Amino acid sequence: MRRFIQIVLLLALSATAFGQKTYPLKVADDSIVFHLAVQNGRLALVAPADEEFFKSKNDFPTLLALRLEASDLVLEYQPRKSTDMASNLTLRLQLPDGQQLSPLPYEFSDVETSPGMRRLVWLDAAERLPDFSATYVLHVRRALMGAVNCEGPRPAFTLKKQLPHYAVGGVGLVLVGLGQVYRNQRDDRYADYQQRWQDGFPAPDESNSPLNAAKEKDRNARICTWTGLAVLGIDALLFARRSLNFKKKQRVYDKFCGTTTSLNLRPVIILGSGLGMAISCHW
């Protein structure tokens, strides 16, 4: 059983990790001009109803509202519904003198307020803006993040990436074939046992019993066969998963990075009798 677990671990490693680095695929920059005022005894953000700022844009999260809560700057938005890409929003304040301010990590939070609704909170942002008579500009960058680098080549499930699966599949086939070898040896031992019984030979010692040998071969045949089939099945599932993952990456790459045309050749590997492996199936 330990060897079976080792083979499964080998399969998991051959599939590589699916947690991946993300890259900005598409970026939208927006800005809104505002100033501060006291309304109903509270500090408020005063800005024009900028339709362009709150205008919905394809693929990007939709900005819904911008306001002050106490001294915190709050931007409500609706994230896009997609499992292929993640959204990343960043804020930046421009002061009247042109100085740029960005929130520090401990000043910034992105929380879900209700299903399909989120809000960015810049803690104590108003404390950075002491001049109520001045005009400020809030810059918002919306980025779509995906596991495809537009500066790199188009993702492809190349032969080099497929070879570990072929190697593991070859191990599975060898195990199934070895199981058949043990099965044939089992039948030979059992036939020898029956012939000895029919001919009236005395029962052999336990250490030299054809029946015991047949039982041992049968055990090895079942272990090798079922282990080989399990290896083939897991390898096929991981291969299909990786293939679908690469196709998804290609669709994202073609949409955001541009389409390239290439000739894809599918390799055909024939496993014949020339494959030399020494595998023991004794547990």
Side-chain angles (χ1 to χ4, degrees):
M1 182 58 72
R2 285 181 300 175
R3 293 184 182 178
F4 175 71
I5 294 174
Q6 291 172 353
I7 292 174
V8 173
L9 290 176
L10 173 63
L11 283 168
L13 291 174
S14 70
T16 67
F18 287 92
Q20 303 168 16
K21 181 180 179 181
T22 58
Y23 303 88
L25 301 179
K26 198 173 181 181
V27 175
D29 290 312
D30 298 281
S31 60
I32 189 169
V33 179
F34 69 92
H35 65 274
L36 302 180
V38 177
Q39 296 180 350
N40 299 323
R42 294 183 178 180
L43 188 64
L45 183 150
V46 180
D50 193 336
E51 296 181 359
E52 187 64 29
F53 185 80
F54 294 103
K55 183 179 179 181
S56 177
K57 296 184 178 180
N58 291 337
D59 300 317
F60 290 101
T62 301
L63 307 181
L64 300 175
L66 179 66
R67 64 178 180 273
L68 279 179
E69 292 184 359
S71 61
D72 300 338
L73 183 63
V74 177
L75 175 63
E76 292 187 344
Y77 72 97
Q78 183 176 15
R80 70 185 305 275
K81 297 178 181 179
S82 173
T83 57
D84 297 336
M85 291 172 291
S87 303
N88 182 35
L89 277 72
T90 56
L91 304 180
R92 179 169 47 88
L93 273 171
Q94 180 177 332
L95 304 184
D97 60 2
Q99 181 182 356
Q100 306 282 334
L101 299 178
S102 297
L104 298 174
Y106 63 86
E107 297 176 323
F108 190 73
S109 64
D110 185 353
V111 296
E112 183 178 34
T113 56
S114 61
M117 299 290 291
R118 301 186 68 87
R119 70 177 194 165
L120 297 177
V121 180
W122 185 345
L123 297 175
D124 299 325
E127 296 181 4
R128 306 276 197 98
L129 315 173
D131 188 356
F132 283 18
S133 63
T135 299
Y136 304 95
V137 181
L138 176 67
H139 297 277
V140 179
R141 166 162 289 190
R142 290 175 278 180
L144 299 181
M145 311 295 291
V148 176
N149 182 10
C150 287
E151 296 181 358
R154 187 173 186 264
F157 197 14
T158 61
L159 175 60
K160 182 178 179 180
K161 296 173 182 176
Q162 295 177 23
L163 280 178
H165 292 282
Y166 291 130
V168 174
V171 172
L173 289 175
V174 170
L175 286 171
V176 173
L178 195 56
Q180 184 60 44
V181 172
Y182 279 124
R183 193 172 290 107
N184 292 338
Q185 293 176 351
R186 175 203 63 188
D187 295 341
D188 292 341
R189 300 296 189 278
Y190 190 70
D192 183 35
Y193 165 76
Q194 287 184 317
Q195 187 64 44
R196 284 174 175 268
W197 182 80
Q198 292 174 1
D199 293 342
F201 285 100
D205 296 335
E206 288 293 325
S207 60
N208 195 33
S209 172
L211 181 60
N212 290 341
K215 291 180 179 178
E216 180 67 19
K217 297 297 182 182
D218 180 67
R219 176 177 176 271
N220 291 337
R222 286 185 283 107
I223 289 174
C224 287
T225 300
W226 287 111
T227 301
L229 292 175
V231 169
L232 288 172
I234 295 173
D235 184 51
L237 289 175
L238 293 176
F239 184 93
R241 181 180 178 183
R242 291 193 72 193
S243 179
L244 291 175
N245 188 43
F246 272 97
K247 289 181 180 178
K248 183 185 294 184
K249 289 182 179 180
Q250 288 174 342
R251 288 195 297 269
V252 174
Y253 187 94
D254 294 342
K255 180 176 181 180
F256 295 100
C257 309
T259 305
T260 58
T261 303
S262 61
L263 179 62
N264 294 322
L265 301 179
R266 292 184 175 273
V268 177
I269 293 182
I270 301 175
L271 297 174
S273 58
L275 181 62
M277 286 190 177
I279 299 179
S280 173
C281 296
H282 297 277
W283 261 248

